Amino acid sequence: MAAPALNEEIQYVSYYNFRPTLFHGYVGPFVIIYAIWLYVLTAVYGLEDYFEAGLIALAVIGVLQILVSLFCLWSVHIRCILTCSKVSSPENASWVKVVPTPNNGSTELVKLYKTKENGEEELWFMFQKAKYLWDGAEKKKFLPLVFPVNHTMAHYMDCKGLQEESDVTHAENLFGKNMLEMDIPRFMELFQERATAPFFVFQVFCVGLWCLDEYWYYSVFTLFMLIAFEATLVQQQLRNMAEIRKMGNKPYMMNVYRNRKWRHQLTTDLVPGDIVSIGRSQEDRLVPCDLLLLRGPCIVDESMLTGESVPVMKEAAEILEGDHVLDVEADGHLHVLFGGTKIVQHTPPSKTAAGMKATDNGCIAYVLRHSFNTNQGKLLRTILYGVKRVTANSIETFFFILFLLIFALIAAGYVWIKGTEDPDRNRYKLFLECTLILTSVVPPELPIELSLAVNTSLLALTKLLVYCTEPFRIPFAGKIDVCCFDKTGTLTADNLVVEGVTGLKGNEIQSALDCPTETIHVLASCHALVQLEDELVGDPLEKATLKAVDFSLTKGETVISQRKKMHGLKIFHRFHFASALKRMSVIAGHTPPGSMETEHIATVKGAPETIKTMLKTVPADYDRVYLEMARRGARVLALGHRRLGNLSHQQLKTITRDDVEKDLHFCGFVVISCPLKTDSKTVIREIQNASHHVAMITGDNPLTACHVAKELRFTRKQHTLILQSPSQTVTEWEWRSIDDNVTVPVWPAGDVRKQLVEEYDLCLTGEGVTYLIKEQPKLWKIVLPNVKVFARVAPKQKELIITSLKSQGFITLMCGDGTNDVGALKHAHVGVALLANAPERMPEKKVRREESPADAGPSQSPADKLAARGSSGKASRVAKQRAIARGDNMAPAQKRLQGMLKEIEEEEKASIVRLGDASIASPFTSKLSTIMCICHIIKQGRCTLVTTLQMFKILALNALILAYSQSVLFLEGVKFSDTQATMQGLLLAGCFLFISRSKPLKYLSKQRPLPNIFNLYTILTVMSQFAVHFVSLVYLVQAAQIISPREGKIDLEAKFAPNLLNTTVYIISMSLQVSTFAVNYKGEPFMESLFNNKPMMYSISISGGAIIALASGLMPEMNEYFELVQLPDEFRNTVLAVVIVDIVGAFMIDRILQLLFGTAKVRRR
């Protein structure tokens, strides 16, 4: 019985025990089979009469046994079936099969541990560095370790650490040590893993077959090259693992409160429940694990986790209510110090205040989670255990191979049936030929070709400062239907302009400096800015407002006016901004001259509709003024102020947010214009023109969002309708236009699509989303894909919108910042986090270093030149594999091996995603704060899809032609010499090398690529082109046989001798290969055309020229070298004519089919 595990990483677990070796599926049954074989051979048929057949049968049984054994290595599921007994209860099991959810690593068979703790037996196992415990009392299933992350604040504040040694031992047994490092396997372990991989085994099997066919020199040399190649890759893998290992935290001594006293402990000894003292260190040490900050504020650099370069202010949890239950997701950004981050400034708790204080003057913190269970650990696990093999369309690849195998089996069957008609023919040689047909039809370079398509894009994106932790998502980028964008900081710029304050004198905008003192005090004090040495850090909007009122902030949390007539303010307490609350408040104060008492004030700012409910008196034109400003696209925040009088230190500590945010005096609306980023318009236009739907999902005001949507052409119709809730004047929900001129019922009479969707652009607020889901679920499904703007939505609702679109079958992209968009970014097929405060342009130095004059055409932009270089090294790896597999061109291959391996090494190095580059927020992270990266990702995604598709077509055609050549023509006595085979292999290697170097175009096309391999166009074009090639081949073979008929019986084992038939077949085979590459290279509109891909163009031109030269006999020496005979004049003209007709015919058929069936359409909303 498979038991589900309550965890987003594990799909289910099942329990096993190993059987004795004799009862393993690859031992016991085969002992019986070998016994039967021996009996049948000796007793039934006779050893002397059927010796060859007996050996063939033994070889087949041996290969089967090896395959079954290898399947146990390749598949954990098969290993469990063949070697284990399944049990229903974990109490009776020794091993657990853990099946993870898709894209979370691979299935593993892990040891089940049984330990005694407090007299009770505990069952647990480790999977991907995380511990899972058996809950036998309640849930009856394995659950992840429960860390102390959901207690009340009073529990944490009263905690005195681990007071007894028994507590420490119990915590260590339960949670383990705080070790954030990976075990690096030995060289031989990794090599064994690679040497038993299906691809390597297949190649070794091919080498064995060549040995039997007397290709000794080629076979041994190929085997040597394969082993050298794999050994180099293992060496590189070990280096990569060492690089990832460095990302773990280095242990150091820190102050820990244990056994009722402060003592020094190594950070690796920390366990959840410990109380520690932490602060800024001279050595820039990292926070060792996830800590709840109990006493004393800190400023933290979180760039190692989020990629954001701006330090973050962390407040002590003592400011929260005692009954507040900790929620790491919600409270984390303000009260939790995450492992792997760096403290840049800390303020120790006051010596006079009650509570615990450390001997080293650090801040007091509580250990919540450690090791691989922290946010840093989770990111490392993604890098370590994410999808290892990056391929596009793996299920389709399997069916593609099955499709080719059908033809291979037909060809092999034909050879066997026809061959056995001759009683004198050697059955062993015939069986060998059949096996060679089966192996050659499945292209040995297929796995590399597929991973190459993704790796090329991955490296190209890295050079454009876009980092990816989940490469399997790249092909999704080529299929995207809907692109969703956050507004603030994504579409609009960070360099905000404070236009002034309005609402004090109607809709007149006053300069911030000319406002009443109360308004200036709100703007100067209500913020979360921090003065860090010489730099002011924090939200760009708050920096802009502070600058607008001409105040500056000191390290002592005091704001000072640069103008002499206004006094400064000391900030005593902050109630920080929260997306759900849409407001922020501060308690500040100053001591008037001649007084000993501090006068305290409350300053509040937030969304106008939120602040309205907190005002003592609301101005009559409140709504009209702010709505007018919002319609202009400005960001509008309402300001509130209240005098609190004199407050004691104790009152300051106990005052609640609700006490502060009431009976406020209205101080106006601050109007901030958010200019669009320089390339937002062009990028959105390009994305829309490339057949994608676009939508905006923002927490901002709906009117502001609709204005930006209009500017960026998200909305193009005359009216945009917003779903409005009932008010004093309207009793029901209704759709209302921005200017209030058009109103439509929630569910209009007649056809909803015609009356609502096709007539107007739609905007939904968070409130509207909740209403539709609860009250009008049918309408929600209809309007969801057609809504252009989602405004005033909470982070959880952003996630809900993305998951709802996915459930309707749309491939989604979400682009936002890595803080409040995390859920949506994680759930989208392609999530792209833009780093705030990052540059919009690539640094000049970087561009110059990466750009190569040799690669850059005059029409390419610098970004495209960078993208273009992603495909070079891996391609030579493909060419090498092809040459090795064929045993061609060995001497030059040997010379180039070192250079090629060095190239692979450099590229493998570039493909490691380091902490600080990747963001915990999403699979893709852009180091530039511009949405241009979306175009790059889509271009690379489309390029990957098209490259994969054309490779499948070429491989399929080559395989079909090969099946015919090695079966029918083999029986006709057609052979190629070693020189001819080398030439053909080199041509194939060159073309595959250059086809994979294709670069995306610098613009996105309106046409969309086909999303998968099996579609009407691909099947029809492959079969039609094969039909053309087949007719050409058969016609020329028959014509050659008429001119030069065979005399006597065909000797299949005779040595190669040049004749007219061999020459004709060789020339047509070469031309078919050239034709296949030339016709099926797609080029525009997704990648550069054949004429712009110069290496590919030259390769095809030179090959074509060589074929014409060989056919026409222009250079007799060349014909002699390639062991070809001179073609008769008339027949030569026929051959050339057939070659031209074949290429033109295949080209015409492919292009007509592409015109009819080769275009994908964007999914209808």
Side-chain angles (χ1 to χ4, degrees), residues 768-1036:
V769 167
T770 307
Y771 165 74
L772 285 182
I773 289 170
K774 283 185 179 173
E775 306 294 330
Q776 305 273 10
K778 276 190 180 176
L779 183 63
W780 165 247
K781 284 189 175 176
I782 296 169
V783 301
L784 170 68
N786 299 284
V787 174
K788 297 293 174 66
V789 180
F790 295 91
R792 279 282 185 259
V793 285
K796 272 285 173 201
Q797 287 178 312
K798 289 186 180 185
E799 194 178 313
L800 176 73
I801 291 161
I802 292 293
T803 49
S804 302
L805 282 167
K806 279 172 72 179
S807 68
Q808 290 195 23
F810 290 92
I811 306 285
T812 54
L813 175 144
M814 175 71 196
C815 177
D817 60 64
T819 48
N820 59 349
D821 299 325
V822 174
L825 292 168
K826 278 280 184 198
H827 282 87
H829 289 103
V830 179
V832 187
L834 298 187
L835 299 188
N837 307 292
E840 283 189 34
R841 292 272 170 271
M842 196 175 283
E844 285 298 313
K845 195 167 60 179
K846 176 116 186 150
V847 173
R848 273 200 295 276
R849 193 178 77 236
E850 297 287 2
E851 202 176 298
S852 158
D855 289 347
S859 63
Q860 290 174 306
S861 68
D864 288 299
K865 292 171 193 169
L866 287 176
R869 289 180 51 82
S871 55
S872 58
K874 292 273 179 180
S876 52
R877 168 178 167 181
V878 176
K880 184 61 62 186
Q881 287 294 83
R882 167 74 76 160
I884 293 165
R886 302 231 165 206
D888 298 337
N889 197 31
M890 289 305 166
Q894 207 169 2
K895 289 174 192 170
R896 292 203 308 270
L897 182 63
Q898 279 311 106
M900 179 197 69
L901 293 178
K902 195 177 177 188
E903 230 173 294
I904 292 171
E905 193 177 308
E906 284 170 10
E907 296 211 338
E908 290 282 343
K909 222 171 190 176
S911 66
I912 306 169
V913 181
R914 290 174 173 79
L915 293 180
D917 286 341
S919 165
I920 44 172
S922 76
F924 292 87
T925 308
S926 172
K927 283 283 191 178
L928 302 176
S929 71
T930 163
I931 58 169
M932 182 55 80
C933 63
I934 303 299
C935 289
H936 294 317
I937 291 167
I938 294 173
K939 279 178 208 166
Q940 294 296 346
R942 286 184 170 190
C943 199
T944 301
L945 271 184
V946 175
T947 303
T948 308
L949 187 66
Q950 67 193 18
M951 280 181 178
F952 272 112
K953 281 162 63 185
I954 291 164
L955 291 169
L957 282 164
N958 280 343
L960 292 175
I961 293 163
L962 210 57
Y964 176 71
S965 302
Q966 289 189 329
S967 55
V968 180
L969 298 181
F970 167 75
L971 292 172
E972 293 286 339
V974 174
K975 287 186 174 181
F976 293 159
S977 71
D978 285 354
T979 318
Q980 290 173 354
T982 304
M983 174 69 176
Q984 199 166 6
L986 276 175
L987 163 65
L988 216 58
C991 288
F992 265 115
L993 163 65
F994 299 129
I995 203 167
S996 58
R997 289 186 61 136
S998 309
K999 308 159 195 170
L1001 292 179
K1002 61 180 178 182
Y1003 59 85
L1004 282 169
S1005 72
K1006 190 171 183 65
Q1007 192 181 332
R1008 291 167 65 88
L1010 291 162
N1012 44 35
I1013 301 157
F1014 286 98
N1015 53 68
L1016 192 59
Y1017 160 67
T1018 307
I1019 292 166
L1020 284 178
T1021 189
V1022 167
M1023 299 313 288
S1024 307
Q1025 286 183 61
F1026 175 63
V1028 172
H1029 297 331
F1030 180 74
V1031 169
S1032 306
L1033 201 53
V1034 170
Y1035 175 76
L1036 283 180

Side-chain angles (χ1 to χ4, degrees), residues 395-637:
I395 297 166
E396 290 192 325
T397 306
F398 176 71
F399 284 111
F400 169 77
I401 289 170
L402 281 184
F403 169 73
L404 293 184
L405 269 175
I406 293 165
F407 291 94
L409 286 166
I410 293 166
Y414 176 81
V415 168
W416 183 258
I417 292 161
K418 284 286 183 188
T420 49
E421 285 174 4
D422 181 358
D424 301 332
R425 195 160 279 168
N426 188 324
R427 297 289 189 274
Y428 163 72
K429 283 280 186 189
L430 209 57
F431 175 73
L432 190 60
E433 186 59 37
C434 291
T435 321
L436 279 167
I437 290 172
L438 291 176
T439 55
S440 60
V441 165
V442 179
E445 66 280 343
L446 186 65
I448 287 186
E449 298 288 4
L450 293 180
S451 61
L452 175 76
V454 177
N455 274 337
T456 301
S457 295
L458 196 65
L459 290 164
L461 288 173
T462 304
K463 288 171 182 175
L464 290 162
L465 302 188
V466 178
Y467 296 89
C468 177
T469 53
E470 297 173 14
F472 68 89
R473 291 185 186 269
I474 289 176
F476 280 114
K479 310 176 190 179
I480 289 164
D481 298 307
V482 185
C483 296
C484 304
F485 296 89
D486 180 32
K487 181 183 80 72
T488 313
T490 302
L491 299 169
T492 56
D494 287 330
N495 54 332
L496 307 171
V497 180
V498 177
E499 290 189 21
V501 176
T502 187
L504 297 172
K505 297 178 182 176
N507 59 0
E508 180 192 333
I509 297 179
Q510 300 171 250
S511 163
L513 291 168
D514 300 335
C515 291
T517 307
E518 288 87 353
T519 304
I520 292 175
H521 280 172
V522 177
L523 292 171
S525 62
C526 194
H527 56 72
L529 297 171
V530 178
Q531 187 65 39
L532 194 63
E533 287 160 7
D534 300 330
E535 188 189 3
L536 186 68
V537 295
D539 187 342
L541 183 145
E542 294 180 335
K543 282 190 196 175
T545 51
L546 190 69
K547 189 178 175 186
V549 291
D550 211 7
F551 268 67
S552 62
L553 179 69
T554 69
K555 280 191 182 178
E557 295 282 43
T558 305
V559 285
I560 300 166
S561 173
Q562 303 300 310
R563 300 186 300 168
K564 289 179 183 174
K565 61 180 181 180
M566 196 166 289
H567 60 78
L569 288 168
K570 165 97 172 133
I571 296 168
F572 291 101
H573 191 75
R574 286 186 177 93
F575 295 100
H576 283 265
F577 173 80
S579 299
L581 300 175
K582 300 175 192 165
R583 63 182 183 274
M584 172 186 185
S585 49
V586 163
I587 300 173
H590 78 288
T591 308
S595 168
M596 296 294 287
E597 298 288 331
T598 302
E599 285 185 13
H600 293 90
I601 58 167
T603 61
V604 185
K605 69 176 180 191
E609 61 269 36
T610 307
I611 301 297
K612 185 179 179 180
T613 60
M614 302 171 182
L615 297 177
K616 199 168 188 179
T617 54
V618 181
D621 57 357
Y622 185 93
D623 286 347
R624 183 181 63 80
V625 172
Y626 96 78
L627 289 172
E628 192 180 307
M629 289 300 147
R631 282 191 191 108
R632 276 180 36 199
R635 192 156 176 200
V636 183
L637 293 174

